[in-house]
Amino acid sequence: MQASAERGHVGPELLAYVKRLERNYFDWRAVHLHLSGLKAHNRRDYQLRVAASEFDRLLRQFNSELFQLGNGDIVYLWHGGAFTDVDAVVLRLRYLFSDDPLANPTAPEPGPELSVEGTEHRADPGKFCSWFELEREYDAFCFRIEELLEQLEKEPGQSPAQTEVPLDPAKLAGLETSLASMDLSGLTRQQSICAVLPQTGPQALFSEIYVAVRDLGASVLPGVDLTADPWLFQHLAESLDRRLLTCLGRHELAVPEGAISVNLRLATLLSPEFLKFDHDFRRQVTSPVIIELQLIDIFAELGAYLFIREFVRDRGYLVCIDGLHYLHLPLIDRKRLGADLVKVIWTPDLLDGLNEARRADLKAAIKRAGLDRVILCRCDSTEAIRWGQSFGIRLFQGHYVDSRLRAARPPAIAAARQAMRAAPGRK
């Protein structure tokens, strides 16, 4: 089983896969999610990646394949299993995008009509998705896929031609070989997580240390999109984790004073590199170290997470759940998951994308998680801070927070930096 996610490049692969099924399409089924019909603020890259990741468990459970097209549409085909197995995923996606007219059956909008008359499964009044039973509807499904791909080729901006080529296994192998001896000092970044209260300046609590993946690609593999294939990128991310831990353990990187956080994959926490980091770095510092784990990884391997959570907490680490969309927060119980912090992603559509009922649910969820336990990240404007404060959030991260933190430096430090810049002989 393999998920094909080279968006914009999967059209020929999808068509070839469907054609191969012509030889034996008994008990094969398919669902087409019309995510291209979502509003623009619901169709960002990270949201589409989250949507595709919802099928990860099914890809392991069934003989199946996932394709995500250049416009964001998802086509999932599987053998055996009931429609209800996949319908559970579709219902979760409906909830994820429930503020969009496309996913709300009570307020449907016109969209691409790809459903086939006579399909055994229920009709979808919002045109959020279309269901197919290939044993009876193979020809119609094949025709609709051809029609869809032809339409994509004609639409501006949907051509398969891209400015970057996706990462492939050969390039990944070469990159990982280079990583073993690579100096990461020029590729690591630090970003503070700050307490920001009304009428006060930001107070830095800890700093996240991470590798700038885009800069890594530009310096080592220019013209290659390292994140195009989520499976290969996951493998690369684990290699980056291990290399970052090695560099930290050897004190090869400048580390800010105070607490730090690192964003790691679950598998990394059971690696020899983590154990050595724990011995060489963690036990030599008195400040807390926070381990950030992605929500997607946690629910993909919940049993592994529960074990690893105890493993790291016994060693004195704190745990932060990262990568939450605001719709996830009411569904996540921070205390039951044994996490110390949760990190919610800010998006500008939050300014006017919530009705009163959803605002009340979100405010209750933030209070339940703990006003000092929720971090609003990717805050790039004063509106993000004001929005978060209106919900009681006190912890923030983002470029705007960084700029306020720099502006709030003590005058003595600012004067010293100015004197150094003006020193004779300094270029």
Side-chain angles (χ1 to χ4, degrees), residues 95 324-342 344 357-375 391-394:
Y95 185 82
L324 274 70
H325 185 273
Y326 75 91
L327 288 173
H328 292 144
L329 196 56
L331 306 176
I332 300 299
D333 189 326
R334 177 189 65 80
K335 295 177 182 178
R336 290 190 64 186
L337 287 172
D340 301 281
L341 298 160
V342 293
V344 180
R358 184 152 292 159
R359 284 183 65 88
D361 288 345
L362 186 56
K363 186 168 288 190
I366 291 170
K367 185 177 181 180
R368 184 171 61 250
L371 301 182
D372 294 321
R373 303 290 183 139
V374 178
I375 302 167
F391 281 84
I393 295 175
R394 299 168 182 173

Side-chain angles (χ1 to χ4, degrees), residues 1 31-32 46 92 96 114 137 151 205 208 212 234 286 296 301 316 338 367 383 396 411:
M1 296 177 290
V31 61
H32 172 209
Y46 81 88
R92 287 201 299 273
L96 178 65
L114 295 180
E137 302 167 333
Q151 178 184 354
L205 301 181
E208 180 182 355
Q234 174 75 6
T286 57
I296 291 174
E301 300 288 346
K367 185 177 181 180
E383 287 83 3
F396 299 88

Side-chain angles (χ1 to χ4, degrees), residues 191-206 379 382 385 389 394-410:
Q191 191 167 59
S192 296
I193 287 79
C194 297
V196 185
L197 302 177
Q199 313 304 321
T200 66
Q203 302 294 320
L205 301 181
F206 62 93
C379 297
T382 183
I385 306 297
Q389 290 177 339
R394 299 168 182 173
L395 306 182
F396 299 88
Q397 179 184 18
H399 296 308
Y400 179 75
V401 182
D402 292 339
S403 66
R404 286 192 59 183
L405 192 62
R406 287 191 297 268
R409 284 194 185 108

Side-chain angles (χ1 to χ4, degrees), residues 224-372:
V224 177
D225 184 353
L226 300 183
T227 64
D229 187 315
W231 306 103
L232 295 182
F233 179 69
Q234 174 75 6
H235 195 86
L236 172 61
E238 292 179 11
S239 298
L240 283 172
D241 285 353
R242 295 192 294 269
R243 181 59 182 159
L244 177 61
L245 292 175
T246 298
C247 291
L248 286 171
R250 293 175 180 173
H251 302 282
E252 297 175 358
L253 302 174
V255 178
E257 294 183 1
I260 65 168
S261 72
V262 285
N263 202 310
L264 302 173
R265 263 42 52 173
L266 284 173
T268 304
L269 297 171
L270 296 177
S271 68
E273 288 83 359
F274 178 76
L275 295 177
K276 187 163 179 56
F277 164 81
D278 180 61
H279 182 272
D280 295 344
F281 180 86
R282 174 68 185 92
R283 297 183 185 181
Q284 298 180 26
V285 298
T286 57
S287 300
V289 174
I290 300 101
I291 294 175
E292 301 189 23
L293 299 169
Q294 291 291 319
L295 179 67
I296 291 174
D297 294 341
I298 289 173
F299 281 99
E301 300 288 346
L302 185 57
Y305 163 74
L306 295 175
F307 172 79
I308 289 171
R309 178 199 64 195
E310 295 306 309
F311 175 74
V312 298
R313 294 190 75 177
D314 286 347
R315 285 161 173 75
Y317 295 90
L318 302 177
V319 175
C320 174
I321 301 178
D322 190 12
L324 274 70
H325 185 273
Y326 75 91
L327 288 173
H328 292 144
L329 196 56
L331 306 176
I332 300 299
D333 189 326
R334 177 189 65 80
K335 295 177 182 178
R336 290 190 64 186
L337 287 172
D340 301 281
L341 298 160
V342 293
K343 189 179 284 190
V344 180
I345 299 168
W346 156 260
T347 55
D349 56 284
L350 288 173
L351 291 171
D352 54 9
L354 301 178
N355 56 36
E356 288 304 315
R358 184 152 292 159
R359 284 183 65 88
D361 288 345
L362 186 56
K363 186 168 288 190
I366 291 170
K367 185 177 181 180
R368 184 171 61 250
L371 301 182
D372 294 321

Side-chain angles (χ1 to χ4, degrees), residues 4-7 9 49 165-167 225-231 233:
S4 180
E6 297 171 0
R7 287 176 49 205
H9 296 261
R49 286 196 298 269
V165 298
L167 181 68
D225 184 353
L226 300 183
T227 64
D229 187 315
W231 306 103
F233 179 69

